[in-house]
Amino acid sequence: MRRPILSATAALALTACGGGNTESSVQAPGAEETAKTKALEAGAAVLQDRPPVDAINAYLDGFHFYNGQMKVQMEAHHHCSILNEDVIQCTIYDGNLKDAKLMGVEYIISEKLFISLPEQERALWHSHVHEVKSGQLIAPGIPEVAEHELMEKLIHTYGKTWHTWHTDLDKDLPRGMPQLMMGFTADGQADPSMVAARDARLGVSSEDKRKRRADIPVPGIDPGADAWQKGAVVQVQDPTGVHTHGDGSGAKEPSPRSENATSKGPTEE
């Protein structure tokens, strides 16, 4: 049976507010805007159309970790546009204020599309079952009934996420190589203090949402997703040695491997 990602009710509800309470942790260098720049900016806002930007009408908040490095976790603010019944595309920021830094992108597809992917491609994608059932994935600012309906759809989807600005390390400019991110699949993986801080800031309770979502049936997860759980960790190695993303520290010695790598070793848990 076909499961559209969003119903009309849920899609309309996502236009509600829910941001404006999470500051960026990064201070980008640069001079303050001049009066001329502000005037040009204001003029462009009035005169230019922005269809791809205007199509963004959904806000989701959740958590990611570097594929192969579960101990390195972060909150991710998703601003998404619904392309059709089976595909959503999201821009990801480190906050939800005007100066939030663009961290990366996530593509979300239905189970119907996911099972059509070749096996090697599926290894790049993560399931959303635990994110939904745990209450960690939320849609701030919309009514509970609409969020519940949305989660009933998202639990059947898969996401592929790339972070391009590693704001846990780079507090001024984006550096290094894009990194493949993953989502949590079981209790005890996400840092409870990270989740609690998000809940307090956004005025929600993940535990309450977990209880409210107990009635959402748990679908089967395609074995090709969440490949890191089976030791198949796909990640982009950084030939510059800027980051290893292993321990939260800064620059490291250049890695001897400079190609895209798939490691078969155990993952951190």
Side-chain angles (χ1 to χ4, degrees):
M1 181 178 67
R2 178 168 179 159
R3 299 177 184 274
I5 290 180
L6 290 179
S7 69
T9 302
L12 287 173
L14 288 177
T15 59
C17 61
N21 48 29
T22 304
E23 295 183 356
S24 171
S25 63
V26 173
Q27 182 63 48
E32 185 178 352
E33 288 185 352
T34 65
K36 181 178 180 180
T37 299
K38 290 179 179 179
L40 291 171
E41 183 180 21
V46 172
L47 298 174
Q48 291 185 312
D49 293 329
R50 299 176 300 275
V53 175
D54 293 338
I56 295 175
N57 59 7
Y59 172 33
L60 300 170
D61 187 82
F63 305 96
H64 296 154
F65 63 90
Y66 291 112
N67 195 24
Q69 299 291 348
M70 183 178 286
K71 292 182 179 179
V72 190
Q73 310 174 5
M74 64 203 66
E75 183 179 356
H77 301 264
H78 302 61
H79 293 273
C80 310
S81 58
I82 302 159
L83 297 183
N84 56 47
E85 294 290 350
D86 294 285
V87 182
I88 296 175
Q89 61 181 15
C90 306
T91 54
I92 303 173
Y93 295 84
D94 71 337
N96 57 24
L97 298 179
K98 185 178 180 180
D99 70 341
K101 308 308 181 293
L102 179 64
M103 291 199 302
V105 296
E106 178 166 358
Y107 302 98
I108 299 173
I109 61 175
S110 65
E111 57 187 342
K112 180 189 75 172
L113 293 183
F114 182 77
I115 62 176
S116 71
L117 298 174
E119 182 179 354
Q120 287 185 320
E121 172 65 24
R122 295 187 203 185
L124 305 176
W125 297 72
H126 61 271
S127 63
H128 289 137
V129 172
H130 179 72
E131 292 186 63
V132 169
K133 294 293 287 185
S134 66
Q136 292 174 9
L137 182 63
I138 63 173
I142 68 173
E144 174 64 33
V145 63
E147 185 186 59
H148 191 281
E149 182 178 350
L150 172 61
M151 295 302 157
E152 289 177 348
K153 308 300 181 183
L154 290 177
I155 200 171
H156 294 277
T157 64
Y158 296 84
K160 180 164 72 170
T161 304
W162 292 98
H163 279 196
T164 54
W165 190 335
H166 313 303
T167 57
D168 59 313
L169 299 174
D170 303 320
K171 300 301 183 182
D172 55 353
L173 295 171
R175 305 176 191 277
M177 301 293 287
Q179 294 289 287
L180 184 66
M181 311 301 288
M182 287 287 150
F184 299 110
T185 58
D187 290 340
Q189 293 176 348
D191 180 354
S193 63
M194 174 181 67
V195 178
R198 187 282 305 270
D199 286 3
R201 189 180 349 100
L202 271 63
V204 301
S205 168
S206 296
E207 190 57 37
D208 180 61
K209 290 184 181 296
R210 178 198 292 266
K211 295 175 182 177
R212 290 175 180 269
R213 297 174 188 175
D215 63 330
I216 299 179
V218 177
I221 300 174
D222 188 282
D226 308 310
W228 60 269
Q229 295 185 123
K230 305 175 184 68
V233 177
V234 181
Q235 192 55 276
V236 178
Q237 303 301 313
D238 190 346
T240 68
V242 172
H243 295 314
T244 60
H245 301 281
D247 58 6
S249 63
K252 297 292 182 182
E253 290 299 315
S255 167
R257 302 180 65 185
S258 61
E259 72 279 9
N260 291 4
T262 302
S263 100
K264 298 296 183 181
T267 58
E268 286 194 59
E269 296 188 15

